Structures are given as structure tokens and as C-alpha cells.
């Protein structure tokens, strides 16, 4: 082990090595690497005072044997630490012993996450926790778009420990685990084949294998025999299998797993590592001449670094307390555990190990809470007699092609484009879709609803002579077209959801629940996508319009009575027009009465003439001549206003008298509730729940089964035993209006739904493919052809939204014109008053400034009503 500068000061420290050494290559490799590690360490650290003295025990590949060997090492040899054991099952009890005796246990191969739950400060895992690789595996599943994966694992603590973590990681990337394949460590070949055949009958074709290499080799060999390592299949190996199979490739094994993917911890290739590989190979052959094909694997490297870390920690912890404190037990206690002592140096050694950092063969080496720091994972594709690196996975960057690529920056990647080309089973580069229809030829069982009405969507015909059933309808044609558009064949058969007598076997909710119960593989029909159903199945994208609408009768709003001529204008427009006629007459009188004889005479004559002149402009029949330029300006603007007003009135009145004015009888749902009207809904529809939530009395709800029955109920009306309105989904309402568009109108949707969709089991890989095909159809002409074939063209049906009565003309439409006329008139009055005051200023100025205001006003009006004799209209020629 190397000599110290002063050999007399060397302090030996006993360390136990607990490995499977009998016919176990990993155990022999680990022991060889531990010996070489200590030899190399003390060659370069000759001044260290401590020397690890290895005391080796063979656990004989048995849990009890490992426990007995660990007990012997602690009680009889009083080792300061134990390197090992090999497996997670063995480690479980050994860790408990180490905890009790305060002896650190360092395992370079026990990777099960279940060991973490022990939470012992005396356990150091000098290997990667299996739970660290599950994110790399789930990233592969996500990158290739697979929606399901089946783990195949060994039925022991090693296999079971990682499954909860793997399941969670897959669920995090929206991938399901529909089945878990558990294989016993002692399973026979027939039992393995039986389990593999069971997997062949399922749709999932993505398998994640996690087991011991010896069992894994047998599983792959049998899978190859029965044709499961072929095109369409995906095999992913965890790091235990990847590291074992590809570190020392065996052609007989690798030939059975061609195209498989694997992950393993990445160890950077350095000059020191390559030199060590050569030295180890030579040393191992000297010690084990009968083993000629051994190759150094990752567990050997971890064993090497673990021994180095322990040597550093022992030196750092010191040798003051290398003894054991004997247990204080009664004299009659004879069990080994009861008499087990406790190491005095154990806590110091734990502290030293926790703080050790150095550059090992596997890279930067340090413990974080007793766990070796996780590294990047190398993604391997098995080709030929070995593995081909296709990329890496890191916790910060995700999947990357190279670790030192400058293009990766810091963004997390989950795309398969960041991997090199993968050669899949079957020697193909086409990415498997991850699922297939089972090879036993079973067709998908498609459930379809059975009902009497609305047969345009789904109709089941039964031939009594042959007892065969034929399913037709709009929804059926859509699904058939969608399946034809898929890039693969999809055999299926329609199965009506009916009783033996042909009657419906339940509601639509019951039909959907049959998929959850696995009685149907899917449901096709006029099934609406709603929340409560989506808890049991996955729906495709909708292939119809969405929403729940209300259908109501429409009536002619054109009541042609004696007062219909008043309806074109609203009351505010009538009043405003009348007031403006009076106002314009007054303005014209003010502007004309002093200079125009037509507007002179008695007061009653002047008033009559002024208003006559104003109102006669409606028909442009005024006879009086205006002589003032201000009056002419006002009249021009007013005639323009009257022209617009009369033309609009004429057009509106013509429409009222000649065009049929249709309006819905009801436009508000709450009006129906307030009046206590009867309303209808389709039998078995979820619309019933909506109506009850709205506040409708259940006694006011009437069921209909067909468009004909709905029409009959609406025609009768709520008073005569019918209904005032019908509530249903938009596709049904469109179908109803295509038959009775002249009698009813559809009010805008009052509730939103997601339309009709096809239902599949939760997590079904068919859903995204079918959804894409539905989306492609709705964007093309095929969907329109199917609609026309079943519902006919509706071009002859007027749009109900355009049939509603237009509003009467209101002041809002003409206030701008009235504003212009009013401003022009007021401006003319202001100009006139300024001209009048200026022209008559001498007469208006009183000689006596003390006269009252009343006399001043009287004088003003006396002059104002007089003729203006100076006007050109009164001058004699």
C-alpha cells in the first residue's frame, strides 16, 4: 500500500469491504478498483499517517449473508467503515447496522431510491440515485411525443424503488403508465414469454426496462424471439443495464436489443481515465486469469473514487478515537445485536466524508447530504456490437447533442432534433409512434348512442332477418373520413349502446362511462364535450359548432292598423320635428315681417302665414316669396333637412306596409322564467341541468325526442299544452331550422360548450392523431360535403338575425341636421337684430333717460312691428 516517510508512525485503520465475490463480475471489478485506488492514493500521499487495511467479506449474493458479514466486521473486527454492499436489498439491513454501531457505510452500487427513506447520516451513496435518471428517461418520452410507456422491472427492492419516481416523471410530461410489468428474479423463460405476450396484446409499444443485467439479458432474448424487438417497438434501458451491457459488449446479448435506447451517467474521457483503464485491465487479468473479456464499468470507477474519498476522510478525521464503546447490556443477553458496540470515531468520519471534495476519475467528487452529486446522463443507441452516443441530458439544459455546444446556452430543450439520428428496432430511422393496434387482430369497439329522434346524426338500423345492425349518420361519416385520413390503418367496429330489445341502454353520460369501464374503446356520435365527462375520458377536438341556443317562434310584427303611418318615426323625432317647424316659421316671420307685405296684416294673419309657410315646406308648396337674404339662407338649409326627413319617412313607411316584419316572441331567458312559461329540451341531454341551474321549475320542462315533436310543441304554444321555447345545442338547432326556418328563430347562444367530439380512454395515443385529422377536415371541403349530404343546403332559409324588425327612425339619426338648421336660424336672428338695432338706433334712443324699462321695451316692439319704409321693397319706382 505504499510506505510512509516514517514507517513507525503509520496507523492502520480497519475498513470492511462487503461485496458479492462468488461468480459476480461487478464484485470482483469493484474490489480490484478499491485495491488499486488505495495503492495509487498512498503512492501520492506517502506523508499520511493513516493506512486503510481492507478486511474483505463475501456476501455470497444473499441478503442474510450480507447482514451476517456486516455484523462480523463491526462486532469482531471493529472496522471504522464499510465499503459496500453490492445490492440495494443487502444495503437495507447493513445501513441499519451501521446506524446502530455508528459506522459509516459507503456503497458504490446500491442505487435504489428507497434507501433514501432510511435517512441515516451514516449512509453514503457513492453512486447515482436511480431517481436521478427518471427525468432523463421522461425527457426522451416527451421528445418523441409518446403518450404512454410501460415499465418492465424486477420484483424486488431494486426494481420497485424507482417505479414511483418514474411514474411521476412520466406524468409530468403528460405520459401515462397504463400497466406495470413485474418479473420475478427467479422467473422461468416460460413465465417471461407469457408476460411479454401479455404486453403484445396491449396498444403501448414503449417499454422501459429496469432490472439486473442477468435477468435483463433473458428478457431481451425472449422479446427478440417473439418479434418484439422489431419495427414499431421502443425499448429504453435504465443506467444499470446500459452500463453493464455496453461496458463489456457481448454480441449474443447486444444482438437481442438492436435499436434500443439507454441512459447512463456521463464520465468525461480524460487521460488519467484512459491510463487507468489500461492498468486495470492488466491488473485484473493477473488476478483473474480465467476472466478474459472483462471491461471496466461505471461501478468500478465509483468504487475507485469511493476508496479515495474514504482514505481522505480517515486522515482528516484523525485517529484519536479508533476504538468502540461496548454496549451496556445485562449478562443474560446473548444476541449479537444487543452486544454490538458503537464506534467512537464514527461521527468524526461522517463529518469528514461530508466535507470531502476532490477530482476523481468520474469527475468532481463530493457528497450532498450523503448522496453523490448527480452528473449528466449519456443517451446511447444500441447498434451493432455496442452503443452509439446520440446525445446527453442535463437537469439544466435538458436534451442536448453535445455538452459543450455554444448553441445550447441556458434554455431547456425537449426536442428530439437535439439528438443524433436514432436507428430504431427493425433497422429503421422512422420514429415509432409508440403504440399499435394489438397484434391479435382485435378491432376497436366503438360505442354509438341509440335514440329515436335526430337520426341525421346517428341512426342504428336493425335487419330482423339477419339480426345485423347498420350504423349511419353525420357523426358516423365524419369519423369514417377522419380514420381514412390517419397515416395508418385503424380497424374498428360500431357497437350500439342498446338493450337486447333495441331500446337505449342508458343516457349519454352512461355511454361515456362505458369507456372508463373499458367496455368500449371509444364513443362516436353526437356526444358533447362537457367538464364532467372529461373527468373519465379524453375528447378529441370538436367537429361541430359549440353552444346551447334557444329556439322561439317568430311572428309578423307588422300590424297594419289606422295609425301605422306614425310608426316610421319615434315620438321624440315627431315632437322635435313639430317644434322645429314652429321655430322656422317664427324665424321667417322675424326676418320678413318688416319688409314683406305677405307677412303683414293682423296678428292672427301674420301667425297663420308664418306657420303655413313653414309647414308647406314639407311638400315644397309655399306660395309666399321671401325677400330677405337671411331668410333665403335659412329656407335653403331647412328645405334640405325636410327633404332628408320626408324621404326617410317615406322609405320607412313603405317598408312597414310592404315588407314582412318578423320578430321572435321571446328574446330573454329570464322573461320565460318570470312568466312561468313551459320550455322544452331533448331527452337525455345535459341541457336539463343547465335549465335547472337557471331557475326553471322542473314541472315547466317538457321533453321532446325529434324535430317533428319539437315543432308540434312550439306550434301549440305554452298556453295550449306546448312550449314557448326550446333549448338545445347549436348542431341540433341548425338541423331544426333547416326544416322549419320560416317559423322559428335561433337566439344567440346563452351557454358555451365545446361542441361534439369523439371520446377515447384517458391518455389514449389516438386522441392527438384523430384531433389533427378532425382539424384538417374542418379546414377543408370534406366537412362541408358531409354536412350538405345529411342536412341539405340551407341557402333558401333566411337568416333569423336579419328577419327581426328594424327600429323606427329616431332622433339619434337626425340630430345633426336639426343642429345645423337651428344654428343657421339663430345666426340669422342675431345678424338681423344687430342690423335692426343699428338701423333704428336714433329711434330707439330715448330723449328722456329717466323713462322706465317697460316703456323702453314697448317702444322697441312698436318700432319692431312697423314697416321698414326704407327697404327696397317699399320704394316707388
Amino acid at each position: 500500500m505504499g510506505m510512509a516517510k516514517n514507517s513507525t508512525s503509520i496507523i492502520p485503520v480497519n475498513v470492511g469491504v462487503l461485496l458479492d465475490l462468488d461468480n459476480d463480475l461487478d464484485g470482483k471489478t469493484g474490489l480490484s478498483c478499491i485495491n488499486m485506488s488505495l495503492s495509487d492514493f498512498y503512492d501520492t500521499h506517502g506523508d499520511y499517517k493513516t493506512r486503510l487495511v481492507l478486511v474483505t467479506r463475501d456476501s455470497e449474493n444473499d441478503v442474510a449473508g450480507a447482514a451476517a458479514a456486516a455484523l462480523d466486521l463491526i462486532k469482531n473486527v471493529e472496522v471504522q467503515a464499510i465499503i459496500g454492499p453490492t445490492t440495494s436489498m443487502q444495503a437495507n439491513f447493513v445501513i441499519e447496522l451501521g446506524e446502530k454501531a455508528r459506522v459509516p457505510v459507503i456503497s458504490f452500487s446500491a442505487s435504489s431510491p428507497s434507501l433514501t427513506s432510511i435517512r441515516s447520516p451514516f449512509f453514503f451513496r457513492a453512486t447515482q440515485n436511480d431517481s436521478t435518471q427518471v427525468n432523463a428517461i421522461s425527457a426522451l418520452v416527451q421528445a418523441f411525443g409518446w403518450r404512454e410507456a410501460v415499465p418492465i422491472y424486477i420484483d424486488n427492492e431494486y426494481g420497485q424503488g424507482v417505479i414511483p419516481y418514474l411514474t411521476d416523471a412520466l406524468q409530468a410530461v403528460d405520459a401515462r403508465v397504463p400497466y406495470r410489468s413485474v418479473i420475478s428474479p427467479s422467473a422461468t423463460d416460460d413465465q417471461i414469454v407469457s408476460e411479454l405476450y401479455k404486453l403484445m396484446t396491449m396498444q403501448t409499444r414503449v417499454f422501459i426496462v429496469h432490472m439486473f443485467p442477468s435477468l435483463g439479458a433473458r428478457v431481451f432474448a425472449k422479446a427478440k424471439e417473439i418479434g418484439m424487438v422489431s419495427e414499431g417497438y421502443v425499448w429504453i434501458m435504465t443506467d444499470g443495464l446500459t452500463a453493464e451491457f455496453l461496458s463489456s459488449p457481448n454480441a449474443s446479448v447486444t444482438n437481442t436489443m438492436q435499436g434500443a435506447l439507454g441512459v447512463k451517467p456521463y464520465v468525461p474521457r480524460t487521460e488519467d481515465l484512459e491510463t487507468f483503464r489500461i492498468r486495470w485491465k492488466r491488473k485484473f487479468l493477473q488476478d483473474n486469469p480465467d476472466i478474459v473479456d472483462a471491461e471496466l464499468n461505471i461501478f468500478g470507477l465509483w468504487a475507485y473514487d469511493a476508496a479515495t474519498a474514504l482514505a481522505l476522510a480517515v486522515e482528516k478525521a484523525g485517529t484519536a478515537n479508533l476504538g468502540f464503546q461496548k454496549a451496556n447490556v445485562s449478562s443474560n443477553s446473548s444476541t449479537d445485536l444487543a452486544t454490538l458496540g458503537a464506534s467512537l470515531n464514527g461521527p468524526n468520519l461522517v463529518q469528514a466524508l461530508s466535507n470531502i471534495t476532490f477530482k476523481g476519475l468520474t469527475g468532481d467528487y463530493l457528497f450532498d447530504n450523503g448522496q453523490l452529486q448527480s452528473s449528466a446522463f449519456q443517451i446511447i443507441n444500441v447498434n451493432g456490437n455496442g452503443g452509439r452516443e446520440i446525445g446527453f441530458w442535463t437537469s439544466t439544459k435538458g436534451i442536448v447533442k453535445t455538452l459543450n455546444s455554444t448553441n445550447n446556452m441556458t434554455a431547456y430543450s425537449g426536442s428530439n432534433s437535439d439528438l443524433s439520428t436514432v436507428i430504431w428496432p427493425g433497422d429503421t430511422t422512422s420514429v415509432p409512434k409508440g403504440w399499435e393496434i394489438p397484434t391479435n387482430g382485435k378491432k376497436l369497439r366503438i360505442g354509438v348512442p341509440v335514440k329515436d329522434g335526430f337520426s341525421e346524426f346517428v341512426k342504428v338500423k336493425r335487419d330482423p332477418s339477419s339480426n345485423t345492425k347498420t350504423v349511419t349518420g353525420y357523426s358516423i361519416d365524419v369519423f369514417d373520413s377522419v380514420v381514412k385520413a390517419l397515416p395508418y390503418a385503424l380497424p374498428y367496429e360500431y357497437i350500439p349502446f342498446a338493450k337486447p330489445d333495441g331500446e337505449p341502454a342508458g343516457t349519454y353520460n352512461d355511454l361515456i362511462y362505458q369507456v372508463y369501464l373499458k367496455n368500449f374503446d371509444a364513443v362516436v356520435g353526437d356526444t358533447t364535450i362537457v367538464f364532467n365527462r372529461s373527468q373519465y375520458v379524453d375528447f378529441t377536438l370538436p367537429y361541430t359548432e359549440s353552444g346551447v341556443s334557444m329556439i322561439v317562434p317568430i311572428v309578423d310584427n307588422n300590424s297594419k292598423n289606422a295609425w301605422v303611418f306614425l310608426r316610421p318615426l319615434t315620438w321624440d323625432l315627431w315632437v322635435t320635428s313639430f317644434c322645429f317647424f314652429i321655430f322656422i316659421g317664427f324665424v321667417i316671420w322675424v326676418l320678413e315681417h318688416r319688409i314683406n307685405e305677405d307677412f303683414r296684416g293682423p296678428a292672427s294673419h301674420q301667425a297663420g302665414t308664418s306657420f303655413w309657410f313653414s309647414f308647406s315646406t314639407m311638400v315644397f308648396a309655399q306660395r309666399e316669396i321671401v325677400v330677405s337674404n337671411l331668410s333665403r339662407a335659412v329656407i335653403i338649409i331647412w328645405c334640405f333637412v325636410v327633404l332628408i326627413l320626408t324621404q326617410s319617412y317615406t322609405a320607412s313607411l313603405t317598408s312597414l306596409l310592404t315588407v314582412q316584419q318578423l320578430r321572435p316572441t321571446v328574446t330573454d331567458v329570464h322573461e320565460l322564467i318570470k312568466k312561468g312559461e313551459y320550455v322544452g329540451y331533448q331527452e337525455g341531454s345535459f341541457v336539463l341541468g343547465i335549465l335547472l341551474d337557471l331557475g326553471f321549475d322542473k314541472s315547466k320542462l317538457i321533453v321532446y325526442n325529434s324535430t317533428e315533436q319539437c315543432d308540434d310543441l312550439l306550434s301549440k304554444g305554452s298556453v295550449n299544452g306546448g312550449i314557448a321555447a326550446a333549448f338545445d345545442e347549436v348542431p341540433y338547432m341548425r338541423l331544426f331550422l333547416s326544416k322549419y326556418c320560416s317559423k322559428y328563430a335561433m337566439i344567440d347562444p346563452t351557454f358555451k360548450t365545446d361542441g361534439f367530439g369523439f371520446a377515447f380512454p384517458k391518455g389514449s395515443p389516438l386522441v392527438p392523431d384523430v384531433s389533427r385529422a378532425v382539424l384538417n377536415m374542418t379546414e377543408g371541403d370534406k366537412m362541408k360535403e358531409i354536412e350538405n349530404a345529411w342536412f341539405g343546403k340551407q341557402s333558401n332559409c333566411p337568416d333569423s338575425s336579419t328577419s327581426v324588425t328594424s327600429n323606427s327612425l329616431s332622433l339619434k339619426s337626425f340630430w345633426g341636421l336639426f343642429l345645423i338648421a337651428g344654428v343657421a336660424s339663430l345666426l340669422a336672428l342675431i345678424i338681423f337684430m344687430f342690423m335692426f338695432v343699428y338701423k333704428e338706433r336714433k329711434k330707439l334712443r330715448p330723449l328722456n333717460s329717466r323713462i322706465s324699462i317697460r316703456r323702453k321695451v314697448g317702444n322697441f316692439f312698436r318700432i319692431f312691428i312697423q314697416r321698414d319704409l326704407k327697404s327696397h321693397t317699399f320704394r316707388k319706382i
Side-chain angles (χ1 to χ4, degrees), residues 280-294:
W280 176 87
K281 183 75 172 178
R282 183 168 55 249
K283 173 69 174 170
F284 191 83
L285 286 175
Q286 290 176 359
D287 297 339
N288 304 277
D290 55 329
I291 305 176
V292 296
D293 57 350

Side-chain angles (χ1 to χ4, degrees), residues 416-429:
N416 60 36
S417 61
D418 293 308
L419 293 172
S420 299
T421 302
V422 180
I423 301 177
W424 302 98
D427 198 25
T428 177
T429 57

Side-chain angles (χ1 to χ4, degrees), residues 312-320 345 348-350 352:
L312 286 169
V314 167
E315 181 70 21
K316 186 176 181 181
T319 59
N345 197 42
N348 296 332
L349 191 53
V350 167

